Amino acid sequence: MHTFLHRYELDTSAPTRKEAWRDFAVRVLLPALALWAVIVGVGFLITGPLGNLPGEAVVNEWFVAQRTETLDAVTAVMSAIGTTEFIIGACVLFVALFWWRTKQWWLAIVPPQAIAVQAIVFMTAALVVGRERPDVEKLDESPPTSSYPSGHTGASTAFYVVLAMLAQRIQHRALRIVVTVVCLLVPLAVGTARLYRGMHSLSDVLMGLLNGLVCAFLAWNYLRRDTSSASSKVSSAKRSLRSVGRS
């Protein structure tokens, strides 16, 4: 896992544009097709044999019963963090700053890759499945897409999980932990807000999380990196520790 998280630090070589496009097509787009098939397949099960999971209505009704003016205001902000406009704006700003500071364009484009692939999977799956939104009072305007999967949750997961992985290069341990935890909590907050505001069922949010998480890891792994030397050092260290333990 350490090698995976630090793959761009272990191998800082710059790829050609052709190599980057090839790796993106082979290592992101093709696996994303399998992800799309899984999400659509689960969606058809939910809307078909599973009868739209009527038990989920209890979850939505529970959230409705918890509504207060304060929570309405808080969840409005939490939900806004997952909107397309906010995610795109934050991503553009991040890419510009990261590219300027590091000059590593091949790493700076990882977040927009994750967001874009997530969006493609989400929009096409929502169009094919066409699940209705929960039958409760909604606190937001319903977007034109259907309820399944949650686009807000997927977009925020794709973006903030990539940021959490990038945060592992922060040298200050306490700051690294804080940034990582905050980045990982944001998608959960967005998903909870979407449930509270009556915009999605629980399975919509869970599949949105899955979509964003898989797309984040695919994007992070898109470029071939040579981490063999680091893996060899880790293996040697483990062998040395075992030898000490036996002696």
Side-chain angles (χ1 to χ4, degrees):
M1 190 62 173
H2 179 275
T3 302
F4 179 76
L5 291 175
H6 293 276
R7 60 198 315 273
Y8 292 99
E9 298 166 75
L10 297 171
D11 182 356
T12 60
S13 60
T16 64
R17 298 292 195 277
K18 182 178 180 180
E19 289 171 338
W21 276 109
R22 178 202 62 200
D23 286 353
F24 174 68
V26 173
R27 296 163 66 91
V28 179
L29 293 182
L30 287 180
L33 288 175
L35 171 64
W36 181 88
V38 169
I39 291 177
V40 170
V42 172
F44 282 148
L45 281 175
I46 292 173
T47 57
L50 298 180
N52 210 35
L53 293 177
E56 288 189 322
V58 176
V59 177
N60 291 102
E61 291 165 1
W62 182 86
F63 275 106
V64 170
Q66 311 311 309
R67 288 178 180 175
T68 65
E69 289 187 6
T70 300
L71 287 177
D72 288 355
V74 170
T75 57
V77 175
M78 290 162 56
S79 181
I81 294 174
T83 61
T84 301
E85 296 81 5
F86 183 91
I87 293 294
I88 291 177
C91 185
V92 169
L93 179 61
F94 172 83
V95 170
L97 290 174
F98 190 86
W99 198 326
W100 171 61
R101 291 285 295 175
T102 68
K103 311 303 180 187
Q104 296 179 339
W105 61 266
W106 56 93
L107 181 52
I109 63 175
V110 169
Q113 281 188 28
I115 295 168
V117 175
Q118 174 279 146
I120 292 171
V121 173
F122 148 65
M123 289 188 292
T124 52
L127 182 64
V128 172
V129 176
R131 188 185 191 187
E132 295 293 327
R133 295 188 183 275
D135 186 20
V136 295
E137 180 187 0
K138 299 167 182 58
L139 300 182
D140 293 325
E141 291 292 329
S142 296
T145 53
S146 65
S147 184
Y148 174 95
S150 171
H152 283 63
T153 308
S156 60
T157 303
F159 181 52
Y160 288 103
V161 167
V162 170
L163 294 191
M165 289 190 280
L166 284 168
Q168 303 316 300
R169 58 177 53 204
I170 297 174
Q171 296 301 312
H172 193 285
R173 184 173 183 273
L175 180 60
R176 181 174 67 251
I177 293 173
V178 169
V179 172
T180 301
V181 170
V182 170
C183 287
L184 295 179
L185 286 178
V186 169
L188 298 178
V190 172
T192 302
R194 299 302 283 169
L195 286 169
Y196 176 92
R197 301 180 71 80
M199 304 308 296
H200 291 288
S201 298
L202 179 60
S203 55
D204 303 334
V205 170
L206 293 177
M207 294 309 290
L209 282 169
L210 175 66
N211 184 22
L213 187 63
V214 172
C215 288
F217 277 89
L218 289 178
W220 184 257
N221 197 52
Y222 91 101
L223 193 63
R224 300 170 197 270
R225 300 279 84 183
D226 183 7
T227 59
S228 55
S229 58
S231 299
S232 298
K233 290 179 182 179
V234 172
S235 298
S236 298
K238 288 181 178 179
R239 284 195 295 270
S240 298
L241 288 174
R242 285 197 292 267
S243 299
V244 171
R246 296 192 194 98
S247 61

